[in-house]
Structures are given as C-alpha cells and as structure tokens.
Amino acid sequence: MMQFMLLFSRQGKLRLQKWYVPLSDKEKKKITRELVQTVLARKPKMCSFLEWRDLKIVYKRYASLYFCCAIEDQDNELITLEIIHRYVELLDKYFGSVCELDIIFNFEKAYFILDEFLLGGEAQETSKKNVLKAIEQADLLQEEMETPRSVLEEIGLT
Amino acid sequence: MPAVSKGDGMRGLAVFISDIRNCKSKEAEIKRINKELANIRSKFKGDKALDGYSKKKYVCKLLFIFLLGHDIDFGHMEAVNLLSSNRYTEKQIGYLFISVLVNSNSELIRLINNGIKNDLASRNPTFMNLALHCIANVGSREMAEAFTADIPKILVAGDTMDSVKQSAALCLLRLNRTSPDLVPMGEWTSRVVHLLNDQHLGVVTAATSLITTLAQKNPEEFKMSVSLAVSRLSRIVTSASTDLQDYTYYFVPAPWLSVKLLRLLQCYPPPEEGAVRGRLTECLETILNKAQEPPKSKKVQHSNAKNAVLFEAISLIIHHDSEPNLLVRACNQLGQFLQHRETNLRYLALESMCTLASSEFSHEAVKTHIETVINALKTERDVSVRQRAVDLLYAMCDRSNAQQIVAEMLNYLETADYSIREEIVLKVAILAEKYAVDYTWYVDTILNLIRIAGDYVSEEVWYRVIQIVINRDDVQGYSAKTVFEALQAPACHENLVKVGGYILGEFGNLIAGDPRSSPLIQFNLLHSKFHLCSVPTRALLLSTYIKFVNLFPEIKATIQDVLRSDSQLRNADVELQQRAVEYLRLSCIASTDILATVLEEMPPFPERESSILTKLKKKKGPGKVPDMEETKKERNSDMNGSTEPVSVNSSAVTMSTPSTSTDLLGLGLAPVLNSVAPASAGGSLLVDVFSDNSPAVASLAPTAEENFSSPRIGSADVVSDDPAAAVHDADELVNKFVCKNNGVLFENQLMQIGLKSEFRQNLGRMYIFYGNKTSTQFLSFSTAVICQDALKTHILLHLFCITKQVDPAVDGGAQVQQILNIECVSDFMEAPILNIQFRYGGALQNMSVKLPVTLNKFFQPTEMTSQDFFQRWKQLSIPQQEVQKIFKAKHPMDTEVTKAKIIGFGVALLDMVDPNPSNFTGAGVIHTKNIQVGCLLRLEPNTQAQMYRLTLRTSRETVSQRLCELLSEQF
C-alpha cells in the first residue's frame, strides 16, 4: 500500500501532499523535509527507487515537478512508477497540458482527481476514461449549481 | 473534455494565491498570510451570515495556507457546515478540508460522521463517493465504529453503482488497517470474494486490494479467492491487448490488476487443486514468455508495466519455491536484466535475485551471475544500485565463493560510499567468520577490514576477532605474528592497536622466540602507539603491559619504569592513573605465582550467536537479512554432498552476546575476579585487585558505564529514619552468616537474595544476587545500603552494580548481581542494612535485610605455639579485656562442627594448646583501618551439662564484647 505521495518543485517547494497513514503534522513535515532533500540531491540518471527507513521510495521528475511515492516493502516499484505516470496523464488531460502553475492554482482539483484515482493508498480506478468521467460529472454539477457572481465580489472587495 | 478555465470557481482564491506567489520574501509572505487569516477570522466571526460560496472560498484559502506549511486552528466548523450543504461544490470543498486537516482524534468527528451518514443514505452516488472518500482519507476509529457495519452492505448490495463499490471496497480496506478489530467478518466476505468475477475491472481492482488485506489476517476465510484470482489472471494474461479497452495500459492488459492478483496469490501456498495449479503455472509461464517477446512499444511505460507484472510473477514463483523449472527461468530472466541499460531494471533484478539466492532450487543458478554482480559493484554509478549488488553478493555467498566475494567486497570498501561502509564491514566480518575454513584467512580479512575502513569497524567486529582467536588455539600464534607485523605500519588505526594490544597481551609469548619480535620489541612497538591513542585504548594497553609482566619477566623492569613515570602515575585521567598505580603495585608486590594466576590467559568465550549478525539484523531490520543458517540447511541438501554439511557453521560460529563484550576488555573483570580466591596470600594485593575492577571496566566499556549509575553509597548518602524497624528477622539472619560467607540471605515468594563474600584484612567484597522468583518483571528496582549513624564512622561501604541486567527492570526469573565493597575503619557493633525497593504488579515492594557484615569477618587467623598463646593470654589480664559467657548449647555438641565453626569465625584453631584436649583455643587479629586488635579465645564444652563456657581476651573491651556476643550464638 502506498503510504504517501508528495509533489514538490525543483526548488523544494511542496505542491501537493497526500497521506494514507495517520501521522502527526510534525512528523509529516519532518518526512517531507528529509525526502525532498534526498530526492533533489540525486542525479538525473540514477534509478528511481531508493530505500528509506523501512519504506521504498519511488520518484520521477516531470518538467519542474517531482512526484514521489512511499510504498511498503512488498509493494511493486515499477507499477508505482506507472501510478505516477497515470496520475500525470490524468492531470494533463484535465488541465490540457498541465504545468506546475495549474497545480498551484487548482490544488483542490488535483486532490479531487487523485481521490478518484487512488483511495486508501491503493488504485481505485485505473481506467483514464472512467476517472475523467467522474471528474467531468462533478464539474457539470458545479456548473449547474454555480450562480454568477459580480466581479467585485470575486475579487473579495465586498 | 472541456478545458477547465483555471480558478473559475473562486477568483478571490486565485488572487490570494497570486499575491502569495508575488511575495518577495518569507516575511512578506507571512505578513500577507496573517492579513488574510485576520480577514477570514473576522468574516467567520462577523454578524453577517456568510453564504455558501464565501464560506467555500475562505475554507479553500485556509487550506491553501495550511498546505504552505502554516498551522491552521480554525475554520473546521465552517468546513463541517460546507460538507453538510446540498451543493456539490461546497460539499466537496468541505470534505477536502476535513480530509486534509482533521486528524483522526478530532472532536469534530461526531459532527462529520453525521454529515457522512446523511450522504451515505442519500442514494446519490456522487455524494456517497465523497462520503466514502472522506472515511478512507481520515480513517479514524470513531469513523470505523460508526460505519464498519454499513460499508460492507453498500459494497455487496446488488444495486450499488460500480464507482461506489470501488470506493466502498477501499474504504473498508483503510478501516481494516486502522481498526481491524472493528471490521466484522461475516456472510459478506464470500460475496466480496466473488467480486473477483465482476464485469467491471475497476471493481475487481479495488476488491482485489481489499481481499489481499483481509486474507493476510484470515487466510482460511478467503481461501476460495485463490481459484477465482487464478482464473481472472489467466483471462487477463491471455487476452489480446485490445480486449480490455481502457484497462490496457500501453499495450499491457490490466497491469495494475495483474500485479494485485499476483500479490493476493502470495498470501497462499501453491494451490492444492491440480487444475488450478496447472492454470497458474501456465499463467506464470506465459508472463515469462512475454518477457522474451519483442516490445510492442518503445515507450518506457510499456516496458515498465510489462516488467511490473513480470517481477510480481517472479515474486510469486519465489514465494511458492516449488517449481524448479520456473525458478531457474526467473533467475535467467533476472540475469538478463542485470545487464539492461535501464538502471531501474538492474536495481530490481539485483533486489529480486537476493531472494532467489535463498531458494535451494535457484541458489546455484544465481551463483552463475557472480561476475556480473561484481562488475556492477565496480561500475554502477548509483550508490543505491551498488548497495543492492553488495546485498546480492552477501546472499549468494557460500563456501565455494566466499574467498572471492570477501575479496571483492574488501576491494570495493576502499572506495565505497560512506553511507554503506559500516554495513559492508559487518557483512565482510560475518562472511569471513562463517565461511572460514582456514582461520588465518579470517584473521587476515579482519585486519584488512580495520586497515581499509577502521573507522567503520564497530566494537562488535573487533571484539569478535578477539573472541575467535581466544577460542581457537590453532590461530593464536599466527594472529600474534600478524598483528605484530600490522602494527609496524607507521600509521595504523586505533582499532588495530586495540586488537594488537589485546592479542599480544594474551599470546605475545608465542612469537617471542623470534629475535625480531622479542618481548622488548613487542613492548616498544605497542608503546610507540600509546601516546596517539584515546584513553580507552591506553587503558587497554596498560592491561597489556601488566600481562607482559607475567609473560615476560625479563622486561618487568622496563614496564615498571613506564608505569612509574609521571605521565602514567599522575595522569590526569583517573582511570589511567588508577591502572598505572595498581598495576605497578601488583607487579612489585605479587609473587610470580600470584601474577601467573591473576594474569592468566583468558578463558574461552561461551559460544553464542555472533553479535555482529545481531547488529546487522538490527541495522537492516528483521527479515532483510536472509537467515543464512536456515537457507543453507536447505541448500546443502541440494549440493551433492561435495560441500560440508551444516555442522561447519556451528564450528565456525560464534560466541558473544553484547553483555559478554565487557569481559573482553582489558584485564578488567572476569579474569581477575576468577583468580581472587586462589590468590589468597597476597597482603595488600587485594587492595589493588579490588579497587581495580569495577571502575576499570566502566571506563573501558561504554555499555557498562550506565550500569554503574546506581549510587555509590558513601556514609552520608542515605539517611533512614529507622531502618531497623522494617528489617527482616534481623539478627537471626546475621547469625547465620557469622561463620560462613556464602548462602541464601533472604527469601520470600517474590525474590531470593543470595550472598557470596570474601574478606581480607580490613577489606571485604560482597556479591549480592537478587533473583526474581516470579514470572513478572520487577520495575524501578533499586537498592541501597544503610549504615546507622554509629556505624558510619566505623565502616565504609561502596556499592557497585556490575555488568549484567542492572537496569531498573528485572525480568521474571532473572538474576541481578551487585557488588558491595567494604572497608572496615574501626571496630563496630551493628550490621549495615540493605534496603530493596521495586514495583511488582503495580505495588511498591520495600524490604530491608541486615547484611551479615560482622566484626569477625575482618579476622586474620594467627597461628601460634602453646607457649606464645599463654604468654599473650597472661598479657591481656586487665579485667575489661576479658569477656566470659556461660551458655547452654543450642545444637548438638559435635567436636568437628565446633571446630569448623571456630575456623569459620575467622580465627586460627590452635591444636595442642590447651592441656584439656576437649577444649578449643583460637587466635586471630581483627584488622581495621585504624587499629589491629589481637584476639585469643577459649571454648570449654561441658557435654554432661550441655553447656559451654566461652572466654575471650582482646586488647579492646568493645571488641571482646562484640566477638563474644557473635560467637556465643553459634553453638
């Protein structure tokens, strides 16, 4: 089972974190700091897996973003690598050629997509079509229900 | 798919995010955030009721601030409000906030549970999914309590939508992980298993994860999943790549599901049913075959997905460990990967082969790749890959290739990354020991280890080599010669000095015949390193020197000169100073016989599991170090008898536990203590011996240090209000020990206290053994020795704890040992009291016992002639000097017993002194620090009256009194 997934930039800024095991905020921060450092220190041609504590870390870099997953001893590294890739594909399809900014400004969407794809640290739905269909439906619900707002209100000046 | 305009939902959020991104400094960012937090707080607190949209926007901002790494301590209520909203987008944000920010034990959980309950009951699949996602994300116990009954129903209900089933399955998986006791098994389990047959592959994928988790805990209950999983797997691996539509990933049919199914099958042994087993074997063969087919795509995703399935299949093959054919094929496949251009594949192949090496069927096949693996060690650029190569070499090592592998590892060690050096050192040490046919090779290897990576050679490693050398006399001479040569290097590692010092101290005599390594040369060589070493090593060398005094009397003077020099005798370090003083004194005073006894060769160490192996296991975590004993046993059956069977292991292996390692150090505890009893003659020798031991060991062995933490009870340390009040059967116990030194002092249902003591002149040492008679641990175990005020000035007690198990917990059935050092300053009456405290089953136990330290213990017997006796007797003629007591016999009047008792009392029993042969006379001197008191006694039995008359004359009234009291109680 995946224990957590972290997305961070080349500058070490955390862009998304998803934890599938209960940990204190302090512990989460410590793990994040340690792993970001470890992964950023690795050279491009190195292998995508490393042992870390009693976990296996699987990471891959896409453009400016690192996707980093921690899995347990008996889990499959290669399939985890493809979990990352499938998630990138989903983001890409949804945002249309995704970039780091999309994830910064629409972090909630990134979470929603991840929840449709992975749940409790396991793949819930591996079909790209099905995941996107679920998100699409939610967006439709959103559009139906949303009432237009005045520009002033949107900027937060009301 | 409509391209979603970014942030269309909440412009205010996007503006805020932009603001943050535009902040030039951390300070500016914090300022902006604090402003926003104040704003949101006032909005939430304001009179105007916020509409759902604003609430959603502000909650989202809070979430963003939290994800930036700031603490958020409000907004939870608003989030709970949102998730109870009927609007999907509000609900979604509410759930998201809760999932990210609520930790499992929040008080809000009840409110959240309410919202979840409503959504689960709503029959709206989108809402149900949100609720299930939230449960799966938070996974708290309260949630488990509230929903573990409902979720299985949702999961197996006929009318549940597929997507809800998927969420429900993984939700249940999460709850089972966090609160397995709450997830009920029941009729639904068999229906869950049948989800493996579901039409929808997404449902099957989610269900397989759930079943795997459940099957790990209840294999019996989910046994039928095996055949279903096999048939599902079979359908997938034989399908054309287009059959599974969107579940085909880069031309690989349902790779995730395949991996999960193969993983599920690893919860079980090979299927018993022939047909299922055959089908599974076909599947595995198909997967292996496909690996040989040309790739359908050049994309790395294709090969990754395909190989993910392949590796999982190999894991299953290794797990079953029953099909030699498949195992060998797997090994060959991995062999190909060892040279693949993809680093990831080389890494995984090395890792996977490690487990293959432990199978009897494939061990030999794995060994054929040794050159490739060694090459990987030399050429891989990624340290994590090299690490795998080291692991694999370690796993594939056996008697046939040990020399090569150890040599390669040593080679690699010269340039190895610092991060893995210590582990390699441990591995080399273990392999060298395990597969040593020739122990000279072993010694060479360890010395090489120290030379190459001395800093990474942990104590366990160098202790071990010493243990082995001491236990194997065939290698002692060689070792002495080798360390002697190694020490000649101008710069050698301190660990080498330690090993060298120790070994030469024990076995230097074996090479002393060679004029090139004569005693003096050995000594000078060692001493040339002395000044470069740390205190513990110097302490060890001092012990070596005193051993040299025994081994080589001809250089005694030289060594004494060194010990006598100011830099030793007045060394600022108290440990070194003490050793120098004591060793010097020992060498001056003791006769050669005593020296030979005190400084005799170390006894062999008991054979136990190697402490190095223990350390490696600890380092790598259990299970990561293949248990070589185990696997080798299996393997040997397969190796046509050419190799020696398992027994080699036991001969080659292993003695120490961490606790014995303290014995190893210097001449500290073990050897000296062993020799105290026989070396009874030596005057002040004992002073040295006594004060030497405990502190010496403490400073040398860090592990022992904490054991000395129990207080040194000086006279003023402990004050007790009225210790005697609680004392057990006070005097009776003491009387039992007046004429003997060993025995059980005290015993009740909980514990037994045993004693061994020895006294010389005015000094004594008492070993106190506390035995826990129960099966429960004693906690907070502590002891103290209390001297009553009057006694304080007369007797000094030093309580030491030594070595084993002196932590405050005493395990059931275990024994703890303490040493009490005693110095008699002047004559005394009362006995000191030993106070013991501990917790047993929650209750504090407190007990006090008188320690049988009585004045007569400090007797030195004095032999004298009849004439002398009566002359002195007459000299002590002042009335106060004589004490006489007439008393009735309490025991049968047996002459031999009486004699034994008098001798046990401490005086010399003088035969032929008294004209009446049935009388007993004795003489002795009481030694205290301040004075010595001569003592003459006479015991006249009257068998007819069953009475005794005891007369004592000493130069001191109080002494006469006390001795008379003590002795008269004995008959």
Side-chain angles (χ1 to χ4, degrees):
Chain A
M1 190 195 78
M2 189 184 293
Q3 294 216 341
F4 55 85
M5 182 192 258
L6 302 174
L7 268 65
F8 51 89
S9 68
R10 264 166 64 191
Q11 290 75 36
K13 287 226 179 215
L14 192 59
R15 295 304 182 200
L16 196 87
Q17 45 176 316
K18 186 75 186 178
W19 304 84
Y20 296 108
V21 284
L23 291 170
S24 69
D25 284 346
K26 202 175 150 200
E27 182 69 5
K28 286 178 188 173
K29 279 186 185 166
K30 191 169 164 249
I31 291 175
T32 307
R33 217 179 312 125
E34 213 176 307
L35 269 183
V36 168
Q37 244 178 23
T38 313
V39 171
L40 287 180
R42 291 176 62 85
K43 297 191 190 81
K45 284 285 169 193
M46 286 187 165
C47 91
S48 310
F49 320 124
L50 54 121
E51 278 186 342
W52 181 80
R53 299 195 188 173
D54 54 347
L55 297 175
K56 300 195 279 198
I57 302 297
V58 177
Y59 72 93
K60 185 156 182 179
R61 185 177 144 186
Y62 287 87
S64 61
L65 267 189
Y66 282 87
F67 290 69
C68 173
C69 299
I71 55 174
E72 290 166 0
D73 190 47
Q74 69 277 16
D75 291 329
N76 189 307
E77 291 98 335
L78 283 173
I79 209 72
T80 308
L81 211 48
E82 294 318 298
I83 289 255
I84 293 175
H85 187 74
R86 174 114 290 184
Y87 182 46
V88 174
E89 283 184 350
L90 288 167
L91 292 171
D92 201 55
K93 195 86 181 166
Y94 181 78
F95 289 108
S97 187
V98 69
C99 67
E100 194 183 338
L101 277 183
D102 292 322
I103 294 172
I104 296 172
F105 279 95
N106 302 281
F107 66 93
E108 80 281 10
K109 292 276 189 255
Y111 272 109
F112 298 148
I113 296 171
L114 188 58
D115 270 356
E116 289 294 335
F117 176 41
L118 295 179
L119 194 61
E122 298 282 359
Q124 175 177 210
E125 178 53 86
T126 60
S127 152
K128 192 155 64 172
K129 258 185 216 150
N130 289 350
V131 174
L132 290 171
K133 205 162 69 195
I135 298 290
E136 216 173 303
Q137 273 171 356
D139 280 338
L140 283 174
L141 278 173
Q142 182 166 349
E143 274 161 31
E144 280 162 23
M145 291 170 176
E146 206 86 342
T147 45
R149 312 242 133 216
S150 82
V151 173
L152 284 181
E153 204 179 352
E154 288 292 345
I155 303 171
L157 293 179
T158 52
Chain B
M1 178 88 225
V4 181
S5 51
K6 286 121 205 171
D8 61 344
M10 291 165 281
R11 174 148 292 169
L13 175 64
V15 170
F16 174 60
I17 295 175
S18 296
D19 278 5
I20 296 289
R21 286 179 54 75
N22 290 334
C23 286
K24 294 273 186 293
S25 66
K26 193 80 196 161
E27 289 72 30
E29 183 186 307
I30 290 172
K31 211 172 147 197
R32 179 67 185 90
I33 284 170
N34 284 337
K35 188 179 151 207
E36 192 63 37
L37 286 174
N39 176 39
I40 298 172
R41 216 183 287 263
S42 74
K43 293 281 188 212
F44 283 170
K45 277 191 186 153
D47 307 330
K48 211 177 80 181
L50 286 177
D51 60 19
Y53 170 79
S54 308
K55 240 185 243 170
K56 181 179 88 173
K57 183 178 69 185
Y58 292 132
V59 164
C60 246
K61 284 183 181 176
L62 287 180
L63 195 51
F64 182 76
I65 294 170
F66 176 78
L67 292 171
L68 283 177
H70 302 269
D71 294 335
I72 294 294
D73 54 4
F74 69 105
H76 299 75
M77 265 325 284
E78 284 72 16
V80 174
N81 281 340
L82 282 176
L83 71 80
S84 316
S85 159
N86 280 325
R87 285 166 177 263
Y88 178 74
T89 55
E90 291 169 16
K91 192 182 278 298
Q92 199 182 20
I93 296 293
Y95 272 125
L96 177 61
F97 185 91
I98 296 299
S99 301
V100 174
L101 256 122
V102 170
N103 47 30
S104 341
N105 45 18
S106 164
E107 291 165 14
L108 286 169
I109 292 280
R110 206 171 302 158
L111 288 170
I112 299 165
N113 278 358
N114 231 359
I116 292 174
K117 199 158 240 148
N118 291 335
D119 284 334
L120 285 183
S122 71
R123 324 279 309 152
N124 174 340
T126 328
F127 285 12
M128 287 173 88
N129 269 341
L130 281 180
L132 289 168
H133 290 178
C134 182
I135 301 174
N137 281 325
V138 178
S140 72
R141 197 159 173 88
E142 289 91 338
M143 284 189 176
E145 277 162 0
F147 302 112
T148 40
D150 299 336
I151 295 170
K153 287 181 201 147
I154 297 174
L155 178 57
V156 297
D159 56 347
T160 306
M161 300 261 301
D162 289 332
S163 66
V164 177
K165 274 188 194 170
Q166 288 165 272
S167 302
L170 295 177
C171 193
L172 200 54
L173 178 153
R174 173 66 195 263
L175 294 184
N176 183 66
R177 276 196 166 233
T178 43
S179 319
D181 54 313
L182 293 178
V183 176
M185 295 293 146
E187 31 158 328
W188 59 272
T189 52
S190 75
R191 299 182 64 182
V192 167
V193 172
H194 280 97
L195 288 176
L196 289 173
N197 275 334
D198 203 280
Q199 294 287 314
H200 190 284
L201 280 188
V203 173
V204 184
T205 307
T208 309
S209 295
L210 173 64
I211 295 166
T212 305
T213 312
L214 296 173
Q216 279 164 348
K217 283 174 188 131
N218 307 286
E220 240 354 86
E221 191 139 358
F222 292 87
K223 216 173 171 183
M224 61 194 176
S225 64
V226 172
S227 60
L228 292 178
V230 169
S231 66
R232 188 93 228 187
L233 182 68
S234 160
R235 271 179 279 160
I236 295 171
V237 296
T238 53
S239 65
S241 55
T242 49
D243 289 356
L244 304 176
Q245 294 156 354
D246 207 36
Y247 289 92
T248 295
Y249 179 84
Y250 291 87
F251 305 100
V252 182
W256 283 281
L257 180 53
S258 307
V259 166
K260 279 173 195 281
L261 290 168
L262 288 162
R263 175 91 197 90
L264 169 59
L265 291 171
Q266 287 171 62
C267 300
Y268 292 94
E272 285 153 23
E273 206 186 315
V276 180
R277 190 169 178 154
R279 205 164 172 195
L280 178 58
T281 307
E282 268 172 39
C283 283
L284 295 171
E285 276 170 350
T286 310
I287 294 170
L288 285 168
N289 290 341
K290 279 188 178 178
Q292 297 301 324
E293 288 171 12
K296 294 195 172 74
S297 156
K298 285 218 164 76
K299 289 225 178 286
V300 69
Q301 284 75 27
H302 170 71
S303 85
N304 278 352
K306 191 166 136 183
N307 290 328
V309 178
L310 176 62
F311 274 106
E312 205 60 51
I314 291 175
S315 289
L316 180 61
I317 292 169
I318 296 170
H319 169 78
H320 284 168
D321 198 11
S322 60
E323 302 267 356
N325 172 37
L326 287 176
L327 280 159
V328 170
R329 281 194 68 185
C331 185
N332 293 340
Q333 182 61 55
L334 294 176
Q336 288 180 23
F337 285 154
L338 285 181
Q339 316 208 39
H340 203 280
R341 61 188 164 81
E342 275 274 330
T343 315
N344 287 345
L345 285 180
R346 295 197 303 274
Y347 175 95
L348 294 175
L350 288 165
E351 185 183 61
S352 208
M353 245 191 202
C354 246
T355 43
L356 263 184
S358 59
S359 162
E360 54 171 310
F361 301 115
S362 48
H363 180 73
E364 288 304 313
V366 170
K367 275 168 62 185
T368 59
H369 298 286
I370 186 167
E371 296 303 333
T372 318
V373 182
I374 287 170
N375 198 39
L377 200 56
K378 288 176 179 159
T379 57
E380 283 291 350
R381 276 186 296 175
D382 186 346
V383 56
S384 33
V385 184
R386 291 196 296 269
Q387 164 92 57
R388 290 284 85 84
V390 172
D391 288 348
L392 178 52
L393 283 179
Y394 180 74
M396 68 164 67
C397 190
D398 62 19
R399 194 164 291 268
S400 70
N401 56 19
Q403 302 239 355
Q404 184 189 8
I405 285 177
V406 165
E408 290 297 345
M409 282 190 174
L410 275 175
N411 241 339
Y412 172 56
L413 193 55
E414 307 238 19
T415 54
D417 309 72
Y418 296 116
S419 56
I420 59 174
R421 280 195 183 185
E422 187 181 353
E423 199 185 311
I424 297 177
V425 167
L426 290 175
K427 285 184 166 157
V428 169
I430 290 168
L431 293 178
E433 176 183 336
K434 196 175 185 69
Y435 297 114
V437 188
D438 173 1
Y439 275 84
T440 59
W441 172 70
Y442 168 76
V443 171
D444 288 342
T445 304
I446 301 294
L447 290 183
N448 262 330
L449 265 188
I450 294 174
R451 184 179 54 76
I452 295 167
D455 286 341
Y456 297 87
V457 172
S458 57
E459 286 183 339
E460 286 84 352
V461 173
W462 75 261
Y463 287 179
R464 194 79 191 125
V465 69
I466 286 173
Q467 288 175 355
I468 287 175
V469 170
I470 285 181
N471 287 24
R472 302 196 60 96
D473 44 19
D474 53 336
V475 77
Q476 288 160 355
Y478 178 81
S479 306
K481 182 167 161 285
T482 317
V483 292
F484 176 78
E485 281 161 7
L487 280 169
Q488 287 175 330
C492 50
H493 195 272
E494 191 163 331
N495 278 336
L496 179 66
V497 180
K498 290 180 188 165
V499 175
Y502 200 105
I503 287 180
L504 291 180
E506 295 292 324
F507 310 113
N509 55 328
L510 300 178
I511 55 167
D514 187 329
R516 285 165 303 177
S517 52
S518 72
L520 189 61
I521 293 176
Q522 285 185 41
F523 173 74
N524 287 338
L525 180 61
L526 278 178
H527 198 55
S528 68
K529 315 283 180 195
F530 187 90
H531 306 279
L532 304 169
C533 290
S534 62
V535 168
T537 308
R538 287 197 218 177
L540 187 149
L541 285 179
L542 287 178
S543 297
T544 302
Y545 296 169
I546 190 68
K547 286 232 159 186
F548 275 177
V549 167
N550 177 43
L551 289 182
F552 312 125
E554 63 268 40
I555 59 167
K556 183 172 169 180
T558 317
I559 290 170
Q560 282 174 334
D561 283 346
V562 168
L563 292 175
R564 203 177 285 123
S565 72
D566 277 357
S567 61
Q568 307 300 351
L569 223 46
R570 299 188 182 181
N571 195 294
D573 185 90
V574 66
E575 172 62 33
L576 294 181
Q577 187 185 101
Q578 189 171 1
R579 285 197 182 211
V581 170
E582 286 163 4
Y583 289 157
L584 180 60
R585 194 92 186 104
L586 181 61
S587 69
C588 295
I589 290 177
S591 70
T592 45
D593 281 358
I594 292 164
L595 273 183
T597 316
V598 172
L599 302 171
E600 79 186 335
E601 200 177 291
M602 288 288 288
F605 290 87
E607 303 239 350
R608 301 222 190 92
E609 185 191 357
S610 164
S611 53
I612 310 178
L613 201 56
T614 319
K615 173 153 180 164
L616 184 66
K617 279 177 184 160
K618 210 159 56 188
K619 210 171 146 58
K620 294 287 274 183
K624 294 223 169 176
V625 179
D627 195 331
M628 300 179 87
E629 302 292 331
E630 288 276 296
T631 54
K632 289 284 146 62
K633 261 177 220 162
E634 295 168 8
R635 222 174 275 155
N636 281 315
S637 60
D638 194 43
M639 291 197 292
N640 58 35
S642 63
T643 23
E644 266 181 90
V646 216
S647 61
V648 277
N649 292 336
S650 57
S651 75
V653 193
T654 56
M655 314 85 182
S656 109
T657 63
S659 60
T660 55
S661 59
T662 48
D663 297 350
L664 245 177
L665 292 164
L667 304 170
L669 201 56
V672 180
L673 285 190
N674 292 343
S675 10
V676 163
S680 56
S684 61
L685 158 68
L686 229 58
V687 185
D688 295 333
V689 171
F690 276 166
S691 47
D692 166 49
N693 285 314
S694 315
V697 174
S699 70
L700 252 184
T703 48
E705 216 150 0
E706 60 213 47
N707 299 336
F708 286 85
S709 58
S710 79
R712 256 178 162 240
I713 311 274
S715 44
D717 280 357
V718 180
V719 181
S720 168
D721 294 336
D722 185 9
V727 173
H728 285 272
D729 306 315
D731 289 326
E732 213 171 300
L733 288 175
V734 172
N735 287 335
K736 244 172 66 185
F737 281 85
V738 166
C739 297
K740 63 174 184 176
N741 286 331
N742 305 329
V744 174
L745 175 66
F746 172 79
E747 184 157 24
N748 65 9
Q749 294 89 338
L750 300 181
M751 75 172 338
Q752 186 190 56
I753 303 174
L755 282 188
K756 273 190 184 174
S757 41
E758 42 196 359
F759 294 86
R760 302 277 180 268
Q761 303 200 345
N762 72 323
L763 294 172
R765 164 170 285 201
M766 192 173 268
Y767 299 81
I768 310 172
F769 303 88
Y770 306 93
N772 181 346
K773 285 170 69 181
T774 70
S775 52
T776 318
Q777 210 182 35
F778 291 164
L779 298 172
S780 318
F781 187 88
S782 70
T783 63
V785 175
I786 297 159
C787 297
Q788 281 168 296
D789 291 24
L791 186 55
K792 280 179 193 166
T793 49
H794 300 295
I795 183 163
L796 284 178
L797 299 170
H798 303 288
L799 189 59
F800 298 114
C801 276
I802 64 149
T803 55
K804 290 175 202 174
Q805 301 153 316
V806 270
D807 47 335
V810 181
D811 287 334
Q815 197 182 58
V816 181
Q817 187 183 349
Q818 269 186 323
I819 295 182
L820 183 67
N821 281 350
I822 303 156
E823 184 180 7
C824 180
V825 180
S826 65
D827 63 302
F828 62 98
M829 304 288 281
E830 290 296 333
I833 289 160
L834 175 68
N835 203 327
I836 302 141
Q837 271 196 349
F838 57 90
R839 286 193 172 276
Y840 170 74
L844 186 68
Q845 306 284 329
N846 199 339
M847 49 182 85
S848 298
V849 229
K850 267 194 185 177
L851 281 178
V853 180
T854 48
L855 186 54
N856 66 298
K857 299 294 180 192
F858 303 97
F859 255 129
Q860 288 290 118
T862 318
E863 293 287 349
M864 55 182 74
T865 61
S866 173
Q867 196 188 350
D868 282 341
F869 182 83
F870 282 107
Q871 191 185 347
R872 294 191 191 188
W873 184 265
K874 280 176 200 142
Q875 281 166 2
L876 298 168
S877 56
I878 309 166
Q880 291 88 338
Q881 288 175 331
E882 182 184 283
V883 176
Q884 191 171 72
K885 193 169 176 183
I886 299 167
F887 54 93
K888 200 153 179 65
K890 286 180 228 143
H891 305 285
M893 296 174 77
D894 183 309
T895 309
E896 286 317 306
V897 173
T898 306
K899 278 185 181 169
K901 282 182 176 169
I902 289 173
I903 293 170
F905 192 62
V907 294
L909 184 67
L910 305 175
D911 276 332
M912 321 295 284
V913 170
D914 201 295
N916 181 347
S918 59
N919 289 349
F920 305 93
T921 48
V925 179
I926 297 277
H927 287 253
T928 74
K929 193 180 169 204
N930 298 339
I931 48 162
Q932 300 195 346
V933 184
C935 169
L936 305 173
L937 69 84
R938 185 177 194 197
L939 182 70
E940 299 158 87
N942 180 338
T943 41
Q944 275 172 326
Q946 289 289 301
M947 301 282 278
Y948 287 105
R949 182 167 70 185
L950 175 64
T951 315
L952 274 139
R953 283 190 180 186
T954 76
S955 53
R956 209 172 157 87
E957 188 186 357
T958 48
V959 174
S960 308
Q961 289 279 2
R962 181 62 183 151
L963 290 177
C964 181
E965 271 170 37
L966 290 169
L967 190 57
S968 60
E969 288 301 316
Q970 301 302 315
F971 302 103

